[in-house]
Amino acid sequence: MAAAVPSTSRARAAAALLLLLLGCCWAALAGGPQDQAEQFFRSGHTNNWAVLVCTSRFWFNYRHVANTLSVYRSVKRLGIPDSHIVLMLADDMACNPRNPKPATVFSHKNMELNVYGDDVEVDYRSYEVTVENFLRVLTGRIPPSTPRSKRLLSDDRSNILIYMTGHGGNGFLKFQDSEEITNVELADAFEQMWQKRRYNELLFIIDTCQGASMYERFYSPNIMALASSQVGEDSLSHQPDLGIGVHLMDRYTFYVLEFLEEIHPASQTNMNDLFQVCPKSLCVSTPGHRTDLFQRDPQKVLITDFFGSVRKVEITTETLSLDRDVAGFESKFPEEELATEPLKYAEQLPVAQIIHQKPKQKDWHPPGGFILGLWALIIMVFFKTYGIKHMKHVF
Amino acid sequence: MAAPLVLVVLAAVTVRAALYRSSLAAFIAERVEVASPLNAWKRVVEGLALLDLGVSPYSGAIFHETPLIIYLFHFLIEYAELVFMITDVLTAVALYLAIQDFNKVVFKKQKLLIELDKYAPDVAELIQTPMEMHYIPLKVALFYLLNPYTVMSCVAKSTCAINNSVIAFFILATIKGSAFLSAVFLALATYQSLYPLTLFAPALLYLLQRQFIPIKLKSKSFWLYTMQYASLYLCSLVVIICLSFFLLNSWDFIPSVYGFILSVPDLTPNIGLFWYFFAEMFEHFSLFFVCVFQINVFFYTIPLAIKLKEHPVFFMFVQLAIISIFKSYPTLGDVALYMAFLPVWSHLYRFLRNIFILSCVLIFCSFLFPVLWHLWIYAGSANSNFYYAITLTFNIGQILLISDYFYAFLRREYYLTHGLHLTRQDGTEAMLVLK
């Protein structure tokens, strides 16, 4: 009996194990395309935008312009077109009279990489880079005369990359040596963007001293933020070039650029790798990041979700039938609506009438009472002066 | 006398028509000397356009004309040039008739005084004869119509012409002796621009004189007549203002017209004295100085009334001159009105002491106005001080002209009663000095 019971239980156990294994295999098999499908639908964005801001002017802030242009170069290389990039540079380093190599901006000493190529499109230049313009770009509250290249025309399916660099402090970032933007303002601007559905997900990168203070106040969903240094730390510059005479880049952005140079449009590198860029040993400051407002797991967020403009293309070899339950679809609508005539455009007011419709000008006329009163007075004066008896001579 | 007057009128109309058709019309229309914020034609057009758009013309700070002007130009705006030419002609004809009557009055009075032996024996050369007085009305009409100031004012289509014509009709009515019409026209003139209020005193004095009522403060008939005239005047003024209310159904016009005249907010340069002072004054003094400047216009009425109570028409002339010098927004049209009266006092010529210098000052200043305006505004090599200097000189010239005439008038009156050859008590020749 002891031998018979173990055999049936063993058989049962083996059958259960087999079933489990089959189930797992099936789940794994089925879960493969499902995972892929989830991956396909998970990021949820259909277009990419980038707002790249360099806030400092003067020749010795060369590195901030080089920072911004490096990110611009990467973003453009990975597929975001100029029409979707708002590039704000507060000063012109390439054509600065102090630039010994005019029309170039180098990011590495020994002039290995010129980030100012032939096709750099600067949208906001020089004194146009102000806090007001930056906030107007973000929130979309722009005068109607602004050209398209200066607008952030994002919608609720846009992933936006916002990169800012310059001089900052605890809670603020300096613009143009004369004004500053605070972290509260920035957080409110992002909230406005969220309420107006101007972004799907937002990646905010800042490379300034005490940069982490700038993302402390964010409270809108779907924002991920990276900064080059914590509160109380300074972000340091990388190397000076003795030929040009200034520091060419900041450390954090230098290593980010190195990291991004290895990314190509199809790479699957995720955000967690970006968080590891520039450890304290290389950067001297401690880079920080904030992901609590972000709904997806950073592990699942691709770098190209923000830095590139990757179109989701699914190649399939099987034919899909598109005729679904048409009858069921139509029955949702009540019969009466189908009975009305479909509206045709031509039945509206002719365009000429719409365009030239002005309020009809009513000519002003003096009120009748006034005219009556005036002429009555005039006639009274006349007759008082000349007497009624003259009437027959007048008429 | 009708034929020469018609000739003069024709000549004047031709000159104006020729200027209207020339390119100078636009240039003259924007000169600040003839177009002030109160009477510029541009502002009338703007106000009427605002009215057509359904907005009250008084809602901004552009339009400062009275509602009766709105009514007048609402129907006549296409014939504006004709209206202004006709206005000028009417003014000239009114002045002509007024001075004709005035001459008769003067002559009658003179005859009376001669018969009463009020004149000294040796003043035969001072007495006015009908021969020399015959052409004075024509000269007055001529002076008004062909005065370059009047022509420029007409070409600029400044509504100062309408002000002038109302005052001219008032003078005509007063000299004809009709108290009612005089009160009505004076009310109209005051309604148009506040300052003819001061002409109440000379008109009253003239009418009292005409009614042979002696001007004694204790006399009952004096007060009775004064009350009658004052009540006629005030009633017509109230009636006109209430009537204006019904044009736009609002009292907006009162702060826009009278508030504007009295508080002088617009400091565009003109030929007057207000703009420069108030442009450089500190805010907390401006109320005080506005009051001082406005009182200055009304201040001379009572002393002049006391001095010139026997000669109300001369008083009216001096008062008109004072209004056009000291008002808040004077223009050359106002100057032209009192200058039209100068031929009436042409018999004072021998007593005028500075007439050559003064006429030179006035003529040169008239030429320097556009020159220094150009240097200040367009060339940028002068500044407002230069223009204000010319304004000051022009006004000083006018003031000295008036005081010269005033002195000459008083001197003649003195000589008439005391004889031409004045001697002191010891028989040597005496000099008459104005103290």
Side-chain angles (χ1 to χ4, degrees):
Chain A
M1 206 133 102
V5 168
S7 70
T8 44
S9 68
R10 207 182 296 128
R12 232 178 286 145
L17 207 63
L18 198 65
L19 268 169
L20 203 63
L21 206 65
L22 273 171
C24 281
C25 281
W26 177 82
L29 275 169
Q34 197 173 15
D35 260 357
Q36 277 183 6
E38 271 186 41
Q39 185 80 0
F40 185 78
F41 287 114
R42 207 173 292 175
S43 60
H45 71 281
T46 58
N47 55 77
N48 284 83
W49 284 80
V51 179
L52 311 172
V53 185
C54 159
T55 59
S56 21
R57 52 174 38 240
F58 306 129
W59 172 245
F60 47 81
N61 290 321
Y62 183 103
R63 59 189 188 281
H64 296 139
V65 174
N67 289 350
T68 319
L69 284 171
S70 314
V71 178
Y72 172 78
R73 175 203 150 72
S74 312
V75 146
K76 216 164 139 173
R77 187 177 56 80
L78 290 171
I80 302 187
D82 272 311
S83 56
H84 282 230
I85 303 178
V86 179
L87 178 61
M88 304 171 85
L89 296 181
D91 205 354
D92 180 13
M93 298 307 169
C95 298
N96 195 306
R98 292 170 75 169
N99 191 349
K101 310 276 174 228
T104 58
V105 174
F106 290 112
S107 67
H108 195 278
K109 71 170 187 213
N110 302 329
M111 294 169 273
E112 281 171 15
L113 186 59
N114 174 18
V115 291
Y116 196 85
D118 284 335
D119 56 350
V120 169
E121 272 187 30
V122 182
D123 300 306
Y124 284 85
R125 61 196 62 183
S126 190
Y127 287 108
E128 292 169 359
V129 178
T130 59
V131 173
E132 182 189 340
N133 282 350
F134 175 62
L135 290 176
R136 283 190 185 278
V137 164
L138 287 185
T139 54
R141 291 157 71 174
I142 261 179
S145 56
T146 319
R148 280 182 79 92
S149 57
K150 284 185 165 171
R151 292 179 187 244
L152 178 66
L153 297 165
S154 55
D155 52 37
D156 64 324
R157 295 280 112 210
S158 307
N159 274 14
I160 307 184
L161 164 73
I162 297 183
Y163 176 83
M164 302 183 76
T165 181
H167 287 288
N170 188 357
F172 66 91
L173 169 62
K174 182 173 78 157
F175 267 71
Q176 295 269 15
D177 219 29
S178 62
E179 51 180 6
E180 55 202 32
I181 186 172
T182 57
N183 47 8
V184 178
E185 275 181 309
L186 198 57
D188 287 340
F190 287 162
E191 175 66 14
Q192 281 191 53
M193 289 174 79
W194 173 252
Q195 290 192 5
K196 289 167 80 159
R197 300 287 179 264
R198 279 171 72 75
Y199 69 89
N200 176 40
E201 284 164 356
L202 201 106
L203 177 64
F204 176 76
I205 305 182
I206 184 158
D207 187 349
T208 62
C209 305
Q210 309 192 45
S213 63
M214 287 306 282
Y215 62 64
E216 269 173 2
R217 299 292 195 120
F218 292 164
Y219 55 95
S220 317
N222 286 354
I223 300 184
M224 194 186 312
L226 284 108
S228 60
S229 53
Q230 299 295 329
V231 176
E233 287 180 350
D234 288 335
S235 285
L236 300 175
S237 53
H238 188 52
Q239 327 149 312
D241 179 300
L242 296 174
I244 296 178
V246 285
H247 287 267
L248 294 182
M249 271 192 86
D250 280 329
R251 283 174 189 255
Y252 181 72
T253 312
F254 181 82
Y255 291 108
V256 166
L257 178 64
E258 233 179 37
F259 172 80
L260 287 175
E261 287 290 302
E262 279 146 35
I263 307 284
H264 56 88
S267 54
Q268 299 293 309
T269 331
N270 56 43
M271 279 296 165
N272 274 349
D273 303 324
L274 188 58
F275 296 154
Q276 311 306 321
V277 162
C278 205
K280 189 159 170 136
S281 54
L282 286 174
C283 262
V284 186
S285 57
T286 319
H289 55 89
R290 179 178 175 179
T291 52
D292 56 317
L293 295 165
F294 205 78
Q295 283 172 10
R296 290 194 286 152
D297 182 10
Q299 183 89 26
K300 303 273 183 359
V301 179
L302 299 178
I303 299 286
T304 49
D305 277 352
F306 289 101
F307 283 89
S309 178
V310 180
R311 292 279 172 268
K312 296 288 187 292
V313 174
E314 183 190 339
I315 300 175
T316 171
T317 50
E318 43 183 60
T319 49
L320 293 165
S321 70
L322 289 173
D323 54 329
R324 289 184 287 163
D325 199 13
V326 179
F329 192 68
E330 258 190 18
S331 66
K332 272 197 235 163
F333 293 99
E335 287 291 320
E336 310 85 67
E337 275 194 20
L338 289 174
T340 57
E341 262 181 37
L343 292 167
K344 292 196 284 284
Y345 187 72
E347 280 176 0
Q348 298 173 352
L349 283 173
V351 175
Q353 212 172 340
I354 299 174
I355 288 176
H356 297 297
Q357 227 168 30
K358 272 188 287 219
K360 192 161 169 305
Q361 269 186 348
K362 293 188 303 261
D363 282 332
W364 174 81
H365 287 290
F370 174 81
I371 301 181
L372 203 67
L374 185 67
W375 286 102
L377 277 175
I378 292 176
I379 289 178
M380 270 189 345
V381 167
F382 179 76
F383 283 124
K384 175 75 175 61
T385 325
Y386 293 106
I388 306 266
K389 63 181 189 297
H390 289 276
M391 255 183 79
K392 63 176 193 293
H393 296 283
V394 170
F395 292 107
Chain B
M1 287 300 287
L5 183 64
V6 167
L7 227 74
V8 164
V9 162
L10 276 175
V13 167
T14 315
V15 166
R16 284 164 173 74
L19 276 174
Y20 272 131
R21 293 284 162 261
S22 76
S23 61
L24 278 178
F27 169 71
I28 292 177
E30 48 180 46
R31 302 248 24 111
V32 285
E33 294 95 12
V34 287
S36 75
L38 273 182
N39 51 33
W41 176 246
K42 219 169 34 164
R43 291 171 182 249
V44 174
V45 172
E46 171 105 18
L48 290 174
L50 281 174
L51 211 49
D52 275 339
L53 289 171
V55 174
S56 159
Y58 299 112
S59 50
I62 286 285
F63 189 72
H64 302 288
E65 302 278 358
T66 57
L68 279 181
I69 297 281
I70 295 181
Y71 176 65
L72 177 75
F73 282 113
H74 179 253
F75 296 107
L76 295 176
I77 195 156
E78 287 107 42
Y79 312 108
E81 296 167 0
L82 222 68
V83 167
F84 283 106
M85 284 202 272
I86 291 176
T87 316
D88 271 352
V89 166
L90 281 175
T91 315
V93 168
L95 288 176
Y96 176 88
L97 295 169
I99 300 300
Q100 230 179 18
D101 261 359
F102 176 61
N103 278 348
K104 292 194 195 125
V105 165
V106 161
F107 197 60
K108 222 189 292 184
K109 188 171 166 196
Q110 211 173 233
K111 212 158 116 176
L112 183 70
L113 287 173
I114 290 176
E115 283 174 9
L116 288 176
D117 262 341
K118 287 286 172 79
Y119 286 165
D122 55 350
V123 293
E125 57 203 56
L126 287 182
I127 307 240
Q128 288 178 297
T129 58
M131 274 298 285
E132 67 192 39
M133 289 181 4
H134 185 62
Y135 284 106
I136 289 179
L138 184 67
K139 280 192 211 162
V140 166
L142 192 80
F143 259 56
Y144 185 75
L145 280 176
L146 294 180
N147 192 350
Y149 296 157
T150 326
V151 171
M152 283 209 306
S153 214
C154 182
V155 170
K157 292 193 271 214
S158 142
T159 56
C160 186
I162 298 180
N163 287 13
N164 286 359
S165 77
V166 174
I167 296 179
F169 277 114
F170 153 70
I171 295 176
L172 175 64
T174 314
I175 293 185
K176 289 269 189 191
S178 153
F180 175 63
L181 265 185
S182 156
V184 165
F185 278 115
L186 186 63
L188 261 179
T190 313
Y191 165 76
Q192 266 299 103
S193 70
L194 203 51
Y195 296 103
L197 176 63
T198 55
L199 293 173
F200 177 81
L204 179 65
L205 287 172
Y206 183 85
L207 289 167
L208 284 171
Q209 217 181 49
R210 209 182 149 89
Q211 302 281 339
F212 302 112
I213 299 173
I215 303 165
K216 288 196 206 331
L217 282 176
K218 293 197 185 54
S219 142
K220 219 189 339 192
S221 54
F222 164 71
W223 284 112
L224 191 66
Y225 196 82
T226 312
M227 284 301 127
Q228 270 181 344
Y229 188 62
S231 64
L232 273 173
Y233 168 62
L234 286 169
C235 284
S236 16
L237 191 60
V238 164
V239 163
I240 294 174
I241 290 184
C242 290
L243 189 68
S244 315
F245 170 77
F246 289 109
L247 187 78
L248 290 169
N249 280 323
S250 71
W251 294 108
D252 278 347
F253 72 97
I254 292 187
S256 265
V257 180
Y258 305 115
F260 185 80
I261 293 178
L262 287 175
S263 66
V264 194
D266 186 328
L267 296 175
T268 320
N270 47 50
I271 62 173
L273 302 160
F274 280 62
W275 59 277
Y276 189 82
F277 258 82
F278 290 102
E280 59 174 15
M281 193 175 286
F282 290 117
E283 276 298 318
H284 52 275
F285 288 127
S286 64
L287 179 62
F288 170 66
F289 277 102
V290 154
C291 295
V292 167
F293 274 61
Q294 298 289 359
I295 288 174
N296 190 32
V297 186
F298 297 97
F299 188 68
Y300 300 97
T301 312
I302 301 204
L304 280 175
I306 296 173
K307 187 72 190 170
L308 291 174
K309 60 180 186 245
E310 308 290 326
H311 315 286
V313 179
F314 186 73
F315 178 21
M316 210 179 292
F317 163 69
V318 174
Q319 194 61 61
L320 269 177
I322 287 174
I323 291 175
S324 48
I325 296 170
F326 292 114
K327 72 192 280 198
S328 43
Y329 294 101
T331 58
L332 291 178
D334 304 307
V335 176
L337 180 63
Y338 79 80
M339 280 199 173
F341 282 96
L342 293 180
V344 185
W345 324 111
S346 54
H347 58 273
L348 297 173
Y349 180 72
R350 57 183 290 175
F351 298 113
L352 292 172
R353 296 192 302 170
N354 303 319
I355 193 66
F356 174 67
I357 289 219
L358 291 173
S359 43
C360 284
V361 162
L362 290 177
I363 293 175
F364 285 163
C365 286
S366 316
F367 282 119
L368 278 175
F369 271 123
V371 169
L372 282 154
W373 179 260
H374 178 87
L375 274 182
W376 172 23
I377 301 283
Y378 297 109
S381 54
N383 55 40
S384 57
N385 296 326
F386 290 66
Y387 193 75
Y388 189 60
I390 303 302
T391 306
L392 271 180
T393 323
F394 188 71
N395 284 323
I396 288 176
Q398 286 183 73
I399 293 172
L400 286 176
L401 182 77
I402 299 307
S403 52
D404 214 8
Y405 266 95
F406 182 68
Y407 178 53
F409 189 84
L410 291 178
R411 209 168 148 190
R412 179 177 171 271
E413 291 301 312
Y414 189 81
Y415 281 145
L416 275 177
T417 47
H418 292 89
L420 264 177
H421 301 288
L422 302 167
T423 52
R424 287 191 216 158
Q425 274 162 345
D426 52 359
T428 54
E429 199 174 330
M431 270 295 285
L432 194 60
V433 167
L434 184 68
K435 276 214 165 150

